[in-house]
Amino acid sequence: MTKIVNHWIGGKTVEGASGTHGPVTNPATGEVTTKVAFASVEEVDAAVAAAKEAYLTWGQSSLAQRTSILFKFRALLDANRDAIAELITAEHGKVHSDALGEVARGLEIVDLACGISVQLKGELSTQVASRVDVASIRQPLGVVAGITPFNFPAMVPMWMFPIAIACGNTFVLKPSEKDPSASLKIAELLSEAGLPDGVFNVVHGDKVAVDRLLEHPDVKAVSFVGSTPIARYIHTTASANGKRVQALGGAKNHMLVLPDADLDAAADAAVSAAYGSAGERCMAISAVVAVGSIGDELVEKIRERAEKIKIGPGDDPASEMGPLITKVHRDKVASYVEGAAAEGCEVILDGTGYTVDGFEDGHWIGISLLDKVPTSAKAYQDEIFGPVLTVLRTETYEEALDLINASPFGNGTAIFTRDGGAARRFQLEVEAGMVGVNVPIPVPVGYHSFGGWKDSLFGDLHIYGNDGTHFYTRGKVVTTRWPDPADAPAGVDLGFPRNH
Ligand code: NAD
């Protein structure tokens, strides 16, 4: 019997009443294993109402209460790493070790949230004028929403809700409809940890559910992670409706390799970062820029390594790379490789014909490597989000930097070199939100924020870290005067108040 994934509202599972469902497929077999309920406007309203009701007490709860629940949640998450990873593999397709890695990176943000008391510490200035003190405090916003992509069904929601609820907000999550089960498991663990009903809610669905969250008057802020066109739409629509928004978009991450780099280390890094999770990572390296004479040697080293990658079902421990999320996406990724030669690329590896014995209906594609890619090629211009690595050649560092900075995306980038001066120059000159120096996927640790520039992020604040705390709270400044009973009355003074 097909499993049904329902909503989580007010601390319990709520069956979808709209009658609309979406299919969830196991990408390794191509089989529809699960149906996910799609929320109607009324169902989204019910989740927001539950969150609004819960905010009345959660917003007033003590830091000690909130963090003790988060510590319990952390322990449960730790104990359930495998169970969550299995759900991810079954619906996303990524290999188990990769799914475990995403849970671990999500857990880092829970760690951060457990220590929220330090981040929420206010500031106090005493005696700014005679017997006057000034305090700056930060308070929660109320009901906040998160809308998340398919490629990290556990980690990306955990970039958001631990900080949001630690700050005293209540949360409505709209996860990707393609792999919805991990979010429900997380909801159950939060409940088991003692989170009061309604503080964390999950509504599944499509544009109907998202649009209702964007316009709902009780939703005060929206965090989004997904593709650039939808990120732009979310930012525009939610901002027009008066909400605070952070909308992280797509990417085309470049890895610049200077002639003095350790080419073996660079090739290892390029292969790991390009083909890990079948390239379905916003921090995947999708364009290597080889500077000077090293191009041929680097491409050869990448080819040798890439050819050895073992592709198969994510629950097979021998697999290093799994299938793509949907058949439609597989075919789209293949189209970039199929059209590459006509666009002037040299096709070094073509993975389009790949299949896995016994899993013929899975969404398989093999490893593709395109060399001497012109910037006009679609394979360079678009975010492919698949196991296709493009290599571009330039004569100089300056030419490579201009090429990277001309990209509309600015999520992450990396430089491989032994020259500290060149690396320092690159980190200052490159237009991207996250920079790696001899590090291929610079996903910042939880206590530093994550976010891109240009078309990779719409809004002012990055996600998690200090930016996360700022996003989910608003500032208030309290000026206090306690006059001494011995003071003479100040009297009326219509002049503009001055400090003295
Ligand atoms: P997506 O934009 O298709 O979907 C993201 C979310 O938006 C989902 O919950 C989806 O249901 C919803 N959505 C989709 N179409 C919508 C519409 N027309 N109106 C309203 N809501 C809509 O993204 P995806 O395919 O799930 O994820 C892959 C993308 O996410 C890639 O572009 C990747 O780079 C990006 N991503 C970015 C980051 C980052 O940190 N910058 C991290 C992870 C993924």
Side-chain angles (χ1 to χ4, degrees):
M1 212 170 81
T2 311
K3 186 177 119 188
I4 297 185
V5 177
N6 286 302
H7 312 299
W8 181 271
I9 299 174
K12 58 180 190 301
T13 309
V14 174
E15 276 187 29
S18 73
T20 315
H21 291 88
V24 180
T25 307
N26 179 337
T29 61
E31 182 197 354
V32 175
T33 54
T34 309
K35 281 197 328 185
V36 57
F38 277 12
S40 62
V41 166
E42 291 71 28
E43 287 169 307
V44 174
D45 285 356
V48 175
K52 190 179 179 190
E53 172 73 22
Y55 179 67
L56 296 176
T57 40
W58 186 251
Q60 302 295 320
S61 61
S62 70
L63 283 166
Q65 282 171 310
R66 289 183 229 152
T67 51
S68 84
I69 291 168
L70 282 161
F71 272 111
K72 285 186 196 127
F73 173 62
R74 192 210 180 277
L76 288 168
L77 198 56
D78 187 31
N80 282 275
R81 286 173 195 248
D82 265 315
I84 296 172
E86 277 164 20
L87 290 172
I88 295 171
T89 296
E91 295 180 354
H92 175 286
K94 66 175 74 174
V95 299
H96 188 70
S97 55
D98 193 24
L100 280 175
E102 108 159 63
V103 178
R105 294 309 301 262
L107 207 138
E108 277 184 17
I109 312 303
V110 181
D111 288 343
L112 182 74
C114 288
I116 201 75
S117 324
V118 177
Q119 302 234 55
L120 284 183
K121 214 153 39 102
E123 293 173 332
L124 175 70
S125 302
T126 56
Q127 196 67 355
V128 299
S130 178
R131 287 190 242 290
V132 175
D133 301 333
V134 177
S136 291
I137 59 172
R138 298 202 69 85
Q139 293 188 301
L141 306 174
V143 179
V144 300
I147 300 157
T148 53
F150 81 83
N151 67 323
F152 287 112
M155 180 183 77
V156 170
M158 286 196 272
W159 283 357
M160 303 171 180
F161 77 78
I163 309 286
I165 64 177
C167 289
N169 303 282
T170 55
F171 201 88
V172 179
L173 173 67
K174 205 305 281 175
S176 171
E177 67 281 17
K178 297 191 178 97
D179 43 16
S181 293
S183 61
L184 270 203
K185 180 74 186 166
I186 287 169
E188 286 165 9
L189 296 179
L190 282 165
S191 186
E192 202 181 326
L195 192 73
D197 296 347
V199 175
F200 180 76
N201 307 274
V202 183
V203 284
H204 298 288
D206 56 4
K207 185 169 166 54
V208 173
V210 171
D211 283 349
R212 183 57 185 152
L213 287 170
L214 299 184
E215 70 187 22
H216 199 299
D218 291 332
V219 173
K220 301 301 177 199
V222 176
S223 297
F224 172 87
V225 176
S227 60
T228 288
I230 310 299
R232 190 181 275 118
Y233 166 74
I234 300 280
H235 184 253
T236 309
T237 312
S239 303
N241 288 327
K243 300 181 197 323
R244 186 177 285 205
V245 198
Q246 53 181 183
L248 283 70
K252 192 84 186 177
N253 303 311
H254 296 75
M255 172 171 153
L256 194 165
V257 185
L258 288 183
D260 71 340
D262 175 338
L263 292 191
D264 285 307
D268 284 341
V271 171
S272 308
Y275 303 114
S277 202
E280 291 175 323
R281 287 183 187 145
C282 62
M283 293 302 275
I285 290 291
S286 47
V288 165
V289 188
V291 177
S293 58
I294 49 139
D296 290 348
E297 194 185 345
L298 180 63
V299 169
E300 180 52 23
K301 285 179 185 292
I302 292 174
R303 188 190 64 74
E304 277 168 13
R305 288 161 170 77
E307 272 181 338
K308 292 183 190 145
I309 293 173
K310 295 188 192 70
I311 304 168
D315 57 5
D316 179 346
S319 305
E320 295 173 294
M321 187 183 113
L324 291 179
I325 183 75
T326 60
K327 174 82 169 56
V328 171
H329 185 53
R330 193 225 82 95
D331 293 347
K332 187 171 174 224
V333 171
S335 73
Y336 287 103
V337 182
E338 285 152 3
E343 290 188 298
C345 311
E346 208 170 284
V347 181
I348 307 292
L349 294 172
D350 177 349
T352 53
Y354 195 88
T355 184
V356 175
D357 289 346
F359 293 85
E360 284 75 10
D361 293 330
H363 315 149
W364 303 107
I365 191 160
I367 299 293
S368 295
L369 176 62
L370 309 177
D371 191 14
K372 299 182 182 150
V373 173
T375 52
S376 57
K378 275 180 78 61
Y380 173 69
Q381 290 188 342
D382 293 358
E383 178 187 37
I384 300 179
F385 224 53
V388 181
L389 178 61
T390 57
V391 180
L392 296 92
R393 310 282 192 108
T394 67
E395 290 302 319
T396 63
Y397 163 85
E398 286 77 10
E399 216 186 308
L401 181 77
D402 288 349
L403 185 155
I404 297 171
N405 284 349
S407 170
F409 298 106
N411 208 40
T413 187
I415 185 167
F416 275 70
T417 179
R418 290 187 171 99
D419 180 340
R424 183 173 185 278
R425 194 177 153 191
F426 181 71
Q427 73 193 50
L428 296 178
E429 292 178 342
V430 75
E431 292 177 13
M434 293 167 284
V435 183
V437 177
N438 299 320
V439 176
I441 320 184
V443 177
V445 290
Y447 34 97
H448 289 260
S449 302
F450 180 112
W453 286 13
K454 301 195 278 187
D455 286 358
S456 296
L457 186 142
F458 303 91
D460 303 321
L461 290 172
H462 290 193
I463 211 157
Y464 66 75
N466 286 342
D467 275 19
T469 312
H470 269 252
F471 184 78
Y472 291 123
T473 54
R474 51 189 164 172
K476 186 179 273 179
V477 181
V478 183
T479 303
T480 309
R481 179 164 189 270
W482 290 107
D484 190 303
D487 286 351
V492 174
D493 178 357
L494 298 194
F496 194 72
R498 280 175 295 152
N499 296 319
H500 47 76

